Amino acid sequence: MVLRNSTRLSLLGMTSFIALAAFPSLAAAQDEVSAEQDEGGVSTIIVTAQRRDENVQDVPIAISAFNQEELARRGISNALEVAQFVPNLVGLNNTGLGTANAYYLRGIGNTESIATFDPPIGTYVDDIYLSRQNANNLSLFDVNRVEVLRGPQGTLFGRNTTGGAVNVFLNEPGDEFAGYVELGYGSYDQKLARASIDVPLADSFAVKVSGYWQNDDGYAINNLTGERTNENDGWGVRLGLRGELSDTARWTGSYIHTFADSANLLNFDCDPTNPANCDGRFVATGLTENGTFDSAIFGPLLTGDKNGYGLGNRATMDFISSNLEFELSPDWTLNIITGFVDIGQKFALDFADGRGLPSTSNPVPPVVGFTFGGFTISNEGEHTQFTQEVKFTGSIADGLIDVVGGVYYFYEDNRTDFGDIFSLNLGPGGPPPDGFPLILADRTLTNTAEAWAGYLQADINLTEQLTVTAGIRYTDEEKTFDIRDNRARVGNSSLCRAAAQFGPSTCIDTVNLIATNGRAIPTKQSVDLWTPRFAINYAVTDDVLLFASATRGFKSGGWNARGTSPTELLPFGPETAWSYEVGAKTELLDRRVRFNVTGFWLDVSDLQTPSAFIRPNGSLAFITRNFADYENKGVEIEITTVPVEGLNLFASVGYQDDEYVIDANAPALDEFGVQAVAAQQADCLNQLAAGRLPNAAGADNAPACGVGIVAPDGSIAEPVRTPDWTVAIGGSYDAEFGDFTLTPSINANWRSDSEVGTSEVTLFDQSVTGPSGAVFPSNTLGLGNPIDPASGSFSPDRWIVNASLTLKNVAGWSLIAECRNCFDEEAVESALANFSYLNPPRTWMVRAKYDF
């Protein structure tokens, strides 16, 4: 404990040193700099966090903002990499899906991508909300800036922002003919091409055409099949338009099409087929890229096109945005903002590496290489959304009151056709590689969401220094849910049959949605609520702003659509959050140092928590419920400094202390017959007292332990992906040599240990004996050492270091050499079914770029 605290203090000291070390240089250069104050110092970033243009330092909200220069300086090339530099933000690729980002900000997040779940961190592109996580790992090839708003944004951004918002703004077409071309080559035979060109067609109209293409072999190798996987292939094009229609009207719009072929399959640092080989990343599934789900014995296992999918994940997105702006008067502006998004996704992913799932009875399942995977989901999704917003901004009484308000409409339509296969090594399927493919489910889900909202915020400028803010949003939303089993019916009954199924089973169908207590599961949810915001800010000087705020946000309810029986398709309600912040935004020493600090307290009711566990038959079960309330409190510090011309240093520190809060007096069963967490915890403690073992098999099992948010030892589990500490430090220096500029850049980010699995289940290597006398070779009680390769939810602390070297010529040429995760640090990012998912390994790339 002493060592750990010393490490944390050292990190804090290191971060503060970046700013303090610059002070002597700043003092000496004070007189020289003052005359050039507007040109030197930290860069000014204009943001729209309050839906109008403002200096980021004037906004009483915790924001991390990155303009084009800063994105390039830190080597950020996609939306996921931004997370490394934001305090108390954890970003990761979803399990299996390389196209989907999951964000956890101040402990609020969601790893689910199925359409009945909504992400609590909203992603916006040019003010257009992206409701699905399936394709939100945006390649930042034509981006002007990225804003990360920490904390609920329920007043100005609306639904599904209980944790915050990631806002991406694209470059508008320029007034002059200009652009760039870029080519790159890197590790795993990665090839990259990017280009953009601005074409002014008239004084009042211009277009921008840009695009990218990337391809690589994949960093993980399968020595069973000879294939490589976990590639990051794709391409995208964008047409940007800008028209100055008159002196008081302008229009901007974009059309974007992207295609991504990117997976994040379970992989290991040592080859499961040859554990002595630990040089690389390895998978061992028998499912192949060109494979299908056609069984020689049972015929097609799944229905529809998804039966022909091979291993991989492919997503396409078409994005259309339009912003028509009218200047109604010198003080008032009206914007009509329209968006359309169409996402298609096709994947077949093996979440069990072609074998059984780890358990206390079998902690390291032997390699089998099942042809159809160990636990496989094959999915075809179609997701469309339309948004329409009318926004107005202006001021009243000669600037006494600044106003932003509007109305917002949202409609979403989703269709998901997906099937689950669990392979067993028994029955008429015979021995591996085919095994016996048990079809857990094959169904088509359709669901819609429609919402209306109105919002209004007023900033009352009581004096030149003191501003009071009040805002309110009203949202009225309705969701519908319908599901249809794809398997053939037995006559006209509610039973259905699959060729590879043990006899008939109850169809997963809307008409059969009945909970275990006999209550009908609703197929419609409606909610209407108010989300206010209050803030006060005081400008001590032009360079020091103090602020405090209270903000409410909410996230829509949904259904546990990954269930494989009708009784599991339960609804969960909305989650709501209140966030309280106090902070200071400062620019010191002639803008050579920017120092921002925020303290927060987050209070969430009915937190939506996805969880997964292994059933007694060895298959994987999913459940999402409003298990508990949630509280988090912490501090965030961000420092940027330019001590001398050309030298840019930054640091950020986040600290958080969070916990689930359960209702100790809740009824033992809820309205759908699901046990309350308090009752489950009591049962778990009783089972442990009787000598039963968590996550074991048969009569020795303590079934209430290590499930949901009850940990194996009977305690309430730690919230997931909320490391106590997150730290980022880095810098760059522009060294000029005549017509050339050489810029070395380095950054490192650290986070303390955390849990990444809801139930805190990690397998340890000490054997334990159950009440029946059965001996289990591993346990989940923390006895012994973690199983290697890692099986479970514990993520140790880790450093990730990135670096680059750029040589730039005044003629427009530049050459960039870079590495990411330069020291090849391995870190557990996620866990599913007792398997651990690692971060990507070290990669490098050399790029050549020409600006014209």
Side-chain angles (χ1 to χ4, degrees), residues 38 52 80 88 164 232 240-241 295-296 321 371 519 540 560-561 570 635 642 647 672 724 731 827 834:
D38 292 338
R52 60 176 183 264
L80 187 61
N88 290 330
N232 186 19
L241 305 168
S295 167
S321 68
T371 305
R519 179 170 183 151
V540 180
N560 184 50
L570 297 173
V635 178
V642 184
L647 177 60
F672 297 104
D724 290 348
N834 298 343

Side-chain angles (χ1 to χ4, degrees), residues 106-439:
R106 295 178 177 175
I108 305 298
N110 192 336
T111 55
E112 258 297 355
S113 60
I114 200 167
T116 57
F117 298 79
D118 292 320
I121 311 298
T123 299
Y124 294 79
V125 177
D126 283 349
D127 287 325
I128 306 302
Y129 172 60
L130 301 183
S131 61
R132 296 293 110 225
Q133 288 188 155
N134 307 61
N136 68 347
N137 190 15
L138 305 169
S139 181
L140 304 181
F141 66 99
D142 203 9
V143 168
N144 178 270
R145 71 184 186 279
V146 178
E147 304 171 12
V148 180
L149 282 59
R150 306 193 294 274
Q153 306 296 321
T155 301
L156 296 179
F157 291 90
R159 62 197 294 272
N160 302 337
T161 55
T162 47
V166 178
N167 297 339
V168 178
F169 295 91
L170 306 176
N171 285 313
E172 291 187 3
D175 294 323
E176 300 179 353
F177 182 86
Y180 75 88
V181 177
E182 182 178 27
L183 298 173
Y185 181 81
S187 51
Y188 306 107
D189 200 27
Q190 182 180 8
K191 296 173 281 290
L192 171 71
R194 296 175 180 158
S196 179
I197 186 170
D198 293 325
V199 182
L201 299 179
D203 291 340
S204 60
F205 189 75
V207 301
K208 174 187 284 288
V209 179
S210 52
Y212 77 96
W213 172 84
Q214 61 191 37
N215 183 272
D216 66 74
D217 291 342
Y219 65 77
I221 188 168
N222 187 334
N223 283 320
L224 284 181
T225 64
E227 294 182 342
R228 301 193 72 94
T229 189
N230 285 3
E231 68 282 1
N232 186 19
D233 301 341
W235 60 274
V237 293
R238 178 194 174 215
L239 175 65
L241 305 168
R242 177 179 57 82
E244 308 296 337
L245 306 182
S246 70
D247 292 340
T248 59
R250 74 189 305 265
W251 174 73
T252 56
S254 284
Y255 169 71
I256 303 173
H257 176 83
T258 63
F259 169 77
D261 183 354
S262 181
N264 180 32
L265 284 176
L266 176 68
N267 62 96
F268 304 90
D269 56 353
C270 294
D271 187 355
T273 67
N274 179 17
N277 179 14
C278 299
D279 184 17
R281 294 290 184 85
F282 304 92
V283 299
T285 179
L287 187 63
T288 62
E289 292 182 9
N290 295 321
T292 69
F293 296 103
D294 286 324
S295 167
I297 296 176
F298 303 111
L301 300 179
L302 301 174
T303 61
D305 292 343
K306 67 182 183 295
N307 188 71
Y309 292 172
L311 183 69
N313 168 55
R314 299 161 188 86
T316 59
M317 181 175 71
D318 289 285
F319 173 96
I320 299 172
S321 68
S322 170
N323 190 335
L324 188 58
E325 181 175 289
F326 298 95
E327 185 180 329
L328 303 179
S329 73
D331 295 327
W332 289 90
T333 300
L334 176 71
N335 291 83
I336 301 174
I337 305 169
T338 307
F340 175 79
V341 182
D342 182 34
I343 295 175
Q345 186 172 39
K346 300 177 179 180
F347 69 74
L349 299 171
D350 180 9
F351 295 92
D353 198 43
R355 45 184 161 156
L357 298 172
S359 66
T360 54
S361 301
N362 190 13
V364 184
V367 173
V368 179
F370 285 129
T371 305
F372 307 117
F375 177 83
T376 302
I377 298 177
S378 187
N379 180 103
E380 179 180 23
E382 299 170 2
H383 314 282
T384 61
Q385 69 169 75
F386 171 79
T387 58
Q388 181 65 66
E389 182 176 13
V390 178
K391 182 192 73 168
F392 60 87
T393 57
S395 61
I396 301 172
D398 235 358
L400 175 64
I401 303 176
D402 295 321
V403 177
V404 57
V407 293
Y408 179 82
Y409 174 74
F410 170 86
Y411 182 79
E412 180 183 25
D413 189 4
N414 302 290
R415 180 182 181 275
T416 310
D417 181 1
F418 60 119
D420 303 355
I421 299 175
F422 177 57
S423 295
L424 301 172
N425 189 15
L426 51 84
D434 283 352
F436 190 99
L438 179 65
I439 313 303

Side-chain angles (χ1 to χ4, degrees), residues 554-594:
F554 91 100
K555 177 174 178 285
S556 303
W559 287 266
N560 184 50
R562 289 214 184 274
T564 54
S565 72
T567 59
E568 295 178 348
L569 304 183
L570 297 173
F572 50 87
E575 71 180 30
T576 58
W578 272 102
S579 176
Y580 308 93
E581 292 182 347
V582 294
K585 296 189 172 185
T586 69
E587 289 184 344
L588 310 172
L589 301 174
D590 287 332
R591 296 178 53 247
R592 289 298 186 182
V593 175
R594 176 176 293 159

